[in-house]
Amino acid sequence: MPVVELQDVCKSFRKGGEIIQPLRHVDLRIESGEFVSLMGPSGTGKSTLLNLVSGIDQVDSGRIVVDGTEVTTLSRSRLADWRARSIGYIFQTHQLIPVLTAYENVELPTLLLKQSATERHRRVDLALEAVGLADRAAHYPRQLSGGQEQRVGIARAIVSHPRVVVADEPTGSLDTDTSEQIQELLQRLNQELDITMLMVTHDADVAAIASRRLLLDHGKLLETDLNEPGKTAAG
Amino acid sequence: MLLPWEYGVRNLFRRPIRSLLTLAALATVIMLVFLMVGFIRGLEQSLVISGDPDVVLVYSVNSEESLENSAIAARTPELLTSSLSGIVQRFGVTHISPEMYLAARVRTQDGHSGFGLVRGVKQTAPLVRRSVRLLEGQWPGPGEVMAGQLASTKLGTPVESLDIGRTIEMEGQAWRVSGTFAAGGSGYESELWCNLGDLQTAAKRQDLSLVAALLEPGASVAEIQLFCKQRNDLELRAIRETDYYASLQQYYRPVRMLAWVVVTLVAAAGVFAGMNMMYGAVSGRIRELAMLQAIGYRRRAILTSLVQEGVILAAAASLLAGAIALVFINGLAVRFTMGAFVLRVDGVAILIGCAVGLTIGVLGALPPALKALRQPVATALKAV
Ligand SMILES: Nc1ncnc2c1ncn2[C@@H]1O[C@H](COP(=O)(O)OP(=O)(O)OP(=O)(O)O)[C@@H](O)[C@H]1O
Ligand SMILES: [Mg+2]
């Protein structure tokens, strides 16, 4: 059973008079524990694909099943509830709330789960530990470096123990060193916590940490091989 | 599930100056509401307290509702006493108070002047006007007046101008202030009382304005009313005092309505102040609100949190305004056409003030919040 499955997904936007169709009859299966990277020229629809998988955007046609739930049939509030349980979202810029501490930022998604305060605190501690920021729990975002902020953002994405984490250019606004730390972290989380990852990136080096690499071009998904970039298999 | 409460509180400190200015604006608005409601409540209260259910007023049928215009024969009290059985009699004294009531220009010793309400009474007056209590000094002797504790407010003169021993001038005559009295918040407190005979002489009148009589418990006004009807040559009418003041309440209805209109307008201004702040607060937070939706918060939860934010600020403003109102507005004496009364910031006023405050918070936060949440999450996440 794949954790993420897209069947014949189409998505288009109307922009002024013209219609852009970033996704044309896209099929995709991601198995549990896979780390999938998604590359492609700017404006091809990579973010759009992530947004469809995480249920914050709706398909025109086709079916998306994530972790056994057919997200394409859920109402907006059901989708929100489902996201809280099943999806972690890592943003390009950390998107931390400036008036909340690192700890409180990470705690936000757990408040949506039905669990005791003890369990919640345990999970937040674990998540902060996993990203190596246990000692920064009480800091506010402005007291953290860019890389630390992104790590808090990652802790927030994994704290609810989602089956799938989507990341939209998680290293896109970081310098090389920091980017490498984040890459390592993502890889470690994928391997140690068995989180299925779907990550968009513009950077071939970043894409290389994934166990499987995809390319989105002209509305189609192509599998690429690291050694033979451009060589494709049907997506 | 809702966002933590601290989120709303701390958000207010994101733009402290703006929040503070809004707080000040809202507190001012709510203060004005307290002021208006205090005014309405004070007016109503003074009219309610002024009526004694056991007292019946007998005055001229031709006077409409204003006792100053009433003129009745000087022998009316004797006629009433001899013809009626329901009036209290104790130790040979009939509890009936013949009174002359008029509005007169009063000039004080220090040169101030204003329109005062003057009541000429006899020694029996306190038997009928049971709320009247001498605070200081003495019952007026010949050529003397005693002043209600709000009389100076009614005149618009300094409080000291009616101190005991001072002289005032009215009806072309000089009067010495002999004492000060309270009357449980009723209308008498804005009046000047003197001896009936003195006032009649000074005003060059022989008649009375009204007769107030204390009824035996259980006695009916109907008997007196019947008497007035039978002796229609006397042109009298009788009304229970509480009914009289209830009709005055009717008379002041337009004033009260106007006050309520002002309350509404002022509250609307508050809503706009709140909205202005919340638009500013929310517009810089579009991405953050989208992020919250992306991690699983329902729109309703976020909406609630934003409304909470507005309500917290409005509640703080209400508290501030309430404290100020209790200290500075409550008990403030104000002058009004038919007398003076004190503003009352009572439970009802507090309730209304706080309700207005909360409404401002909710109504001010809703439109900006709804606007921010109308955008699709995917688009809002890209907002700058
Ligand atoms: N809400 C929208 N309305 C109209 N057009 C949109 C909308 N969202 C995306 N698009 C268009 O759809 C296309 C795909 O957008 P998307 O953001 O998915 O691209 P991307 O591959 O993530 O690009 P980048 O690498 O620059 O982030 C773009 O041409 C974009 O302009
Ligand atoms: Mg993108």
Side-chain angles (χ1 to χ4, degrees):
Chain A
M1 255 278 278
V3 187
V4 178
E5 183 166 20
L6 279 72
Q7 290 174 0
D8 203 23
V9 167
C10 292
K11 177 69 182 176
S12 58
F13 293 106
R14 189 182 297 277
K15 213 180 203 175
E18 62 174 324
I19 292 174
I20 315 161
Q21 193 173 18
L23 302 177
R24 295 172 204 163
H25 305 284
V26 169
D27 292 299
L28 172 65
R29 289 163 70 95
I30 300 174
E31 300 299 329
S32 178
E34 271 192 301
F35 190 159
V36 179
S37 70
L38 178 59
M39 291 187 66
S42 181
T44 45
K46 305 181 294 296
S47 299
T48 302
L49 184 80
L50 285 199
N51 291 341
L52 292 176
V53 168
S54 56
I56 63 178
D57 207 348
Q58 275 79 47
V59 296
D60 293 344
S61 65
R63 226 166 76 96
I64 298 179
V65 180
V66 179
D67 193 17
T69 303
E70 185 168 352
V71 298
T72 32
T73 61
L74 293 181
S75 70
R76 194 165 49 197
S77 46
R78 291 265 160 272
L79 271 174
D81 296 346
W82 168 79
R83 272 200 300 277
R85 288 190 308 270
S86 310
I87 287 278
Y89 206 121
I90 302 173
F91 306 90
Q92 175 173 354
T93 49
H94 53 82
Q95 305 270 25
L96 298 182
I97 293 181
V99 293
L100 300 182
T101 61
Y103 187 95
E104 290 163 335
N105 267 290
V106 175
E107 193 185 19
L108 276 180
T110 64
L111 297 172
L112 293 164
L113 305 176
K114 287 185 182 65
Q115 55 189 203
S116 68
T118 336
E119 171 63 10
R120 211 165 61 223
H121 294 153
R122 198 183 63 84
R123 286 198 183 190
V124 177
D125 289 337
L126 275 179
L128 279 170
E129 226 164 88
V131 300
L133 285 177
D135 56 336
R136 296 299 165 97
H139 287 54
Y140 285 91
R142 69 187 135 77
Q143 300 167 315
L144 300 171
S145 71
Q148 288 171 332
E149 284 179 310
Q150 188 57 300
R151 272 146 70 191
V152 176
I154 294 171
R156 182 181 59 196
I158 60 166
V159 71
S160 296
H161 299 181
R163 287 296 300 277
V164 180
V165 167
V166 298
D168 198 350
E169 301 184 46
T171 58
S173 47
L174 300 173
D175 61 62
T176 323
D177 282 353
T178 320
S179 169
E180 273 168 16
Q181 288 172 22
I182 297 294
Q183 291 167 42
E184 270 170 41
L185 173 61
L186 291 175
Q187 213 164 14
R188 198 158 52 75
L189 294 176
N190 166 246
Q191 284 160 8
E192 290 175 12
L193 301 180
D194 198 31
I195 295 172
T196 308
M197 292 248 187
L198 175 56
M199 173 183 71
V200 168
T201 180
H202 276 290
D203 188 331
D205 292 339
V206 178
I209 63 171
S211 56
R212 181 177 163 205
R213 287 163 285 275
L214 298 176
L215 180 74
L216 182 64
D217 203 6
H218 292 96
K220 288 288 181 191
L221 266 184
L222 313 165
E223 301 270 351
T224 64
D225 194 303
L226 187 63
N227 302 321
E228 302 164 70
K231 183 133 190 216
T232 61
Chain B
M1 279 311 270
L2 296 177
L3 279 153
W5 178 252
E6 295 95 314
Y7 175 65
V9 179
R10 289 191 209 158
N11 276 326
L12 292 171
F13 290 95
R14 272 185 170 180
R15 295 148 58 105
I17 303 286
R18 204 178 172 126
S19 295
L20 213 66
L21 286 177
T22 311
L23 181 76
L26 292 190
T28 310
V29 161
I30 299 168
M31 275 272 294
L32 285 173
V33 171
F34 276 130
L35 195 68
M36 292 315 291
V37 178
F39 173 84
I40 299 168
R41 295 292 295 168
L43 178 61
E44 286 175 353
Q45 189 68 14
S46 82
L47 293 175
V48 167
I49 286 185
S50 300
D52 183 334
D54 292 335
V55 168
V56 61
L57 301 178
V58 179
Y59 57 103
S60 162
V61 273
N62 306 318
S63 67
E64 311 274 301
E65 224 72 274
S66 80
L67 295 174
E68 297 104 297
N69 299 337
S70 167
I72 59 175
R75 64 200 167 98
T76 310
E78 287 71 41
L79 283 171
L80 290 173
T81 315
S82 56
S83 326
L84 300 169
S85 58
I87 301 171
V88 175
Q89 274 200 322
R90 208 155 289 153
F91 310 118
V93 182
T94 311
H95 290 208
I96 194 162
S97 171
E99 296 173 1
M100 174 177 267
Y101 184 59
L102 46 85
R105 179 157 283 284
V106 175
R107 194 181 304 280
T108 62
Q109 209 176 320
D110 37 11
H112 295 281
S113 90
F115 261 101
L117 297 168
V118 189
R119 197 181 289 266
V121 296
K122 289 197 151 174
Q123 295 292 338
T124 49
L127 299 174
V128 181
R129 310 307 201 175
R130 292 179 293 182
S131 61
V132 171
R133 298 266 176 283
L134 206 57
L135 292 176
E136 255 188 298
Q138 298 165 5
W139 190 261
E144 289 182 334
V145 295
M146 68 173 184
Q149 57 180 354
L150 291 177
S152 56
T153 307
K154 167 60 187 154
L155 289 176
T157 63
V159 191
E160 319 84 72
S161 63
L162 292 178
D163 277 354
I164 296 170
R166 298 277 187 121
T167 47
I168 59 172
E169 197 190 304
M170 61 183 191
E171 295 293 305
Q173 208 170 301
W175 305 75
R176 180 181 169 278
V177 179
S178 69
T180 313
F181 69 96
S186 70
Y188 310 127
E189 291 189 348
S190 44
E191 298 176 359
L192 296 164
W193 283 22
C194 60
N195 278 312
L196 178 61
D198 290 353
L199 190 59
Q200 282 174 326
T201 311
K204 301 181 184 70
R205 280 168 61 174
Q206 250 87 64
D207 56 354
L208 299 171
S209 302
L210 71 148
V211 173
L214 185 68
L215 296 183
E216 295 279 8
S220 144
V221 184
E223 190 198 3
I224 306 182
Q225 283 168 337
L226 187 65
F227 170 83
C228 294
K229 204 171 269 171
Q230 285 167 345
R231 291 296 311 266
N232 58 5
D233 57 313
L234 297 172
E235 300 193 314
L236 296 177
R237 71 191 285 195
I239 184 168
R240 203 180 275 280
E241 197 180 29
T242 41
D243 295 340
Y244 172 77
Y245 283 104
S247 67
L248 271 193
Q249 290 245 32
Q250 280 307 107
Y251 176 74
Y252 283 114
R253 244 175 79 139
V255 177
R256 276 150 56 211
M257 297 249 284
L258 194 69
W260 284 122
V261 170
V262 172
V263 167
T264 315
L265 290 179
V266 161
V271 170
F272 281 108
M275 230 189 277
N276 177 51
M277 183 210 70
M278 285 306 286
Y279 266 118
V282 167
S283 67
R285 244 191 280 161
I286 300 288
R287 265 205 311 182
E288 179 176 310
L289 301 179
M291 178 279 289
L292 287 171
Q293 293 182 71
I295 66 171
Y297 280 93
R298 288 186 180 197
R299 298 208 306 173
R300 180 165 302 186
I302 298 169
L303 190 71
T304 309
S305 176
L306 291 173
V307 169
Q308 253 176 20
E309 222 170 297
V311 167
I312 291 169
L313 193 70
S318 303
L319 271 176
L320 195 68
I324 295 174
L326 278 177
V327 175
F328 294 105
I329 296 183
N330 194 26
L332 201 69
V334 290
R335 187 150 49 131
F336 200 54
T337 49
M338 54 73 72
F341 61 91
V342 292
L343 299 180
R344 286 175 54 91
V345 182
D346 55 2
V348 173
I350 294 276
L351 209 69
I352 292 174
C354 291
V356 167
L358 295 190
T359 312
I360 288 175
V362 173
L363 292 186
L366 267 181
L370 285 173
K371 181 175 177 240
L373 292 173
R374 214 170 34 219
Q375 274 192 54
V377 181
T379 322
L381 274 176
K382 287 188 290 195
V384 274

